[in-house]
Amino acid sequence: MAADALHFRFIVDGENFTSAGEASVEVKKKLRQLGFAPEVIRRVSIAMYEGEINMVIHAGGGEAEITVDPDRIVIVLEDHGPGIADIELAMQEGYSTAPDNIRSLGFGAGMGLPNMKRYTDEMKIESELGQGTKITMVVNV
């Protein structure tokens, strides 16, 4: 990590669907102000938004930490939810453990983790049942 890296930290409120996505919107604004390419901003925004929604649906919220280097943007999402029982299964498009009330809101289609992987250059998932999940994503600039 370069000495000139910028760091942003957000608390993702797990109680409030209307605030889900606020961190990704804020990061999008900051990256735009810093002059990053629209495609980089789009990829970071999508990956972050999907992660925020997952934290709200499945984990009661969490934290998002973003490190902006000149050559890459690192997004770390961490929660203290139930953890992911089967990461390989959770990575399959369309697989979802979201309850019906969440699906009725238009969420929980099972595209969150696959989209997070699709829009990033690297993605690592660490999860322990009963302890929570930590997802680290990298978008190269």
Side-chain angles (χ1 to χ4, degrees):
M1 198 173 324
D4 57 354
L6 294 174
H7 301 278
F8 304 107
R9 189 169 173 273
F10 302 91
I11 301 297
V12 178
D13 181 0
E15 302 297 312
N16 190 349
F17 251 103
T18 57
S19 68
E22 283 181 359
S24 56
V25 168
E26 195 60 34
V27 168
K28 183 181 196 174
K29 283 184 202 167
K30 290 182 186 308
L31 293 177
R32 198 176 286 141
Q33 289 169 348
L34 292 167
F36 281 92
E39 181 60 17
V40 169
I41 296 169
R42 187 176 81 83
R43 292 173 62 214
V44 168
S45 298
I46 291 169
M48 249 192 92
Y49 178 79
E50 294 283 12
E52 281 182 81
I53 293 297
N54 277 355
M55 284 194 283
V56 172
I57 292 173
H58 301 289
E63 296 179 14
E65 196 161 321
I66 297 82
T67 303
V68 180
D69 281 314
D71 59 339
R72 68 191 205 143
I73 297 162
V74 180
I75 304 158
V76 178
L77 305 174
E78 196 161 4
D79 67 56
H80 302 289
I84 301 171
D86 186 336
I87 292 172
E88 195 174 317
L89 183 59
M91 288 300 298
Q92 292 179 18
E93 290 188 9
Y95 176 79
S96 178
T97 58
D100 287 341
N101 66 315
I102 299 298
R103 290 172 190 255
S104 71
L105 296 172
F107 298 100
M111 293 303 295
L113 289 173
N115 277 339
M116 290 162 71
K117 183 166 180 61
R118 179 176 294 119
Y119 289 102
T120 58
D121 294 299
E122 297 171 37
M123 183 168 117
K124 176 182 171 188
I125 301 174
E126 301 166 84
S127 191
E128 192 175 327
L129 289 179
Q131 300 296 310
T133 301
K134 178 180 180 180
I135 299 178
T136 304
M137 298 177 284
V138 177
V139 174
N140 294 324
V141 175

